[in-house]
Amino acid sequence: MSEDTRRRVAFLGPEASYTHQAALDAFKGRDVTLSPQITIADVFTAVQKGTAYRGVVPFENSSNGSVVFTLDLIADLHGMHPDILVCGESYVDVKHCLLGYVAPNAASAGLQTRKLPPVEIDKKFTNPLAVPVCDLSRIKKLYSHPQAWGQCKAFLSTYLKGIERQDVSSTSRAAELVAQDTSGESAALSSFVAAELFGLDVLAESINDRIGNATRFLVIRRKDTASPSSTPPPDITHSTDGNGSDWKTLVTFTVDHANPGALANCLAVFGKYGLNLTSINTRPSGVRNWHYVFFVEFKGRKEDGDEVGYVNQALKELDRVCSEWRWLGSWENRL
């Protein structure tokens, strides 16, 4: 791996995406080159092939749940990214805005506010800032990342009900596309940063349904690069408290669905060793219908050596009660 590659961090782009902001946060103060990718899969591929030293991908949102694209890539059902491990995380506050071009008459007269009565706003929104600053009747098409729609349901159903929606690879890509449509008939769910980058007007700010909306991003590496417990070239700083709550671990496993209690037996292993589960997800296994891969994240850290620490002991016992399992990394808890 060349020195240039060892300092390249791939992220879901283009610039100004929330993943870009997560990458800036995760590698703050580090001498790295941030490399935007078109899709989440492209980030995984860059790290798997070694053209990037690390990757940053969205994992879950506090309002809308897990990013299924990332879960499926982590599960690696098609064997395209077998060496990917998680080595870090970053949290970014998400304040979606509606971006576009203000109508010429509104621009010349100043942004004409079109507010709903306060009582109606209070009924529909937990976020009182989600009010358009101008007439939105010209808008015929909306662009955004699929994850954003579910975070802005109240605003969209109130002000833009029935408007065509187009999924794109990221919220910043949505802003980039809208910037090319000077007719003002399209708009994007994106960020303030994207508005500044692409020269768009903010038609409504903070349109997510809940104040405090946040997304968690994972930092991924290839398993043959330096482990989190060492001190590699640019990476995230990690604590050294072993199996304490300052670390998280992610594993996947499958069970015999015909065996009553199979899932309960697997989950009981973590409780036996005092490992606090922080999230559980499922995705179709791709093996047969109604057969699932379970994703379990818990507090603690896998150590070198099979007999060291509660996490290692739990994984050894998990091996005896599940069909198969994979360790997908341990990293510092930044929550």
Side-chain angles (χ1 to χ4, degrees):
M1 184 178 291
S2 68
E3 183 62 25
D4 179 59
T5 299
R6 287 176 65 82
R7 297 188 179 279
R8 183 176 298 133
V9 176
F11 70 92
L12 177 62
E15 292 184 357
S17 67
Y18 289 108
T19 314
H20 183 210
Q21 297 174 45
L24 290 171
D25 170 69
F27 293 90
K28 186 184 305 179
R30 302 282 176 170
D31 182 17
V32 299
T33 299
L34 298 182
S35 176
Q37 307 294 313
I38 296 175
T39 67
I40 297 174
D42 291 336
V43 177
F44 274 75
T45 299
V47 176
Q48 174 65 40
K49 290 184 175 180
T51 58
Y53 176 73
R54 292 291 187 264
V56 182
V57 293
F59 184 64
E60 64 176 338
N61 176 264
S62 60
S63 301
N64 203 37
S66 299
V67 180
V68 295
F69 308 102
T70 301
L71 286 177
D72 288 343
L73 288 162
I74 289 174
D76 194 35
L77 302 181
H78 303 293
M80 298 182 66
H81 310 105
D83 302 316
I84 296 297
L85 296 175
V86 180
C87 64
E89 66 180 11
S90 176
Y91 292 82
V92 173
D93 290 334
V94 175
K95 296 180 180 179
H96 292 304
C97 299
L98 184 70
L99 307 184
Y101 290 113
V102 175
N105 59 338
S108 61
L111 296 179
Q112 299 298 313
T113 302
R114 186 171 68 91
K115 294 183 178 180
L116 294 177
V119 63
E120 189 172 350
I121 293 173
D122 290 341
K123 286 174 60 179
K124 287 183 174 294
F125 300 105
T126 60
N127 184 350
L129 298 177
V131 182
V133 297
C134 63
D135 182 27
L136 305 181
S137 60
R138 289 197 309 157
I139 297 174
K140 297 180 179 179
K141 191 170 186 178
L142 297 170
Y143 294 87
S144 198
H145 185 276
Q147 200 76 7
W149 306 126
Q151 298 169 29
C152 306
K153 291 178 181 177
F155 179 88
L156 294 174
S157 64
T158 300
Y159 297 106
L160 294 164
K161 188 174 183 179
I163 301 300
E164 179 186 354
R165 301 178 186 181
Q166 177 67 55
D167 291 343
V168 294
S169 58
S170 70
T171 55
S172 56
R173 175 58 177 161
E176 185 177 33
L177 289 170
V178 169
Q180 298 168 12
D181 179 12
T182 56
S183 70
E185 294 183 351
S186 61
L189 274 60
S190 195
S191 67
F192 276 113
V193 177
E196 294 177 355
L197 179 65
F198 297 109
L200 292 169
D201 298 313
V202 177
L203 308 181
E205 66 175 85
S206 197
I207 65 173
N208 32 280
D209 295 338
R210 293 187 177 92
I211 295 175
N213 187 35
T215 296
R216 178 160 67 121
F217 299 81
L218 297 183
V219 180
I220 59 175
R221 69 176 178 92
R222 202 169 69 180
K223 66 174 60 175
D224 58 357
T225 60
S227 67
S229 58
S230 67
T231 54
D235 205 346
I236 297 171
T237 303
H238 295 274
S239 60
T240 56
D241 69 339
N243 285 326
S245 62
D246 288 341
W247 286 76
K248 293 178 182 176
T249 292
L250 179 65
V251 299
T252 60
F253 62 83
T254 58
V255 300
D256 179 0
H257 284 55
N259 180 12
L263 176 58
N265 292 337
C266 292
L267 296 178
V269 169
F270 302 101
K272 176 180 176 180
Y273 290 95
L275 300 175
N276 185 19
L277 303 186
T278 54
S279 73
I280 302 175
N281 285 286
T282 63
R283 291 296 294 159
S285 69
V287 175
R288 57 182 179 272
N289 289 349
W290 324 123
H291 187 271
Y292 299 93
V293 176
F294 296 91
F295 298 75
V296 173
E297 181 187 85
F298 55 90
K299 291 185 177 180
R301 174 186 175 188
K302 181 180 180 294
E303 303 284 353
D304 295 333
D306 293 339
E307 304 299 329
V308 180
Y310 290 129
V311 171
N312 294 46
Q313 294 176 52
L315 294 179
K316 187 174 182 180
E317 187 163 331
L318 178 66
D319 186 59
R320 295 196 289 265
V321 294
C322 71
S323 297
E324 59 181 5
W325 65 276
R326 290 176 62 208
W327 171 70
L328 289 165
S330 297
W331 66 93
E332 186 180 6
N333 179 7
R334 296 189 65 193
L335 184 60

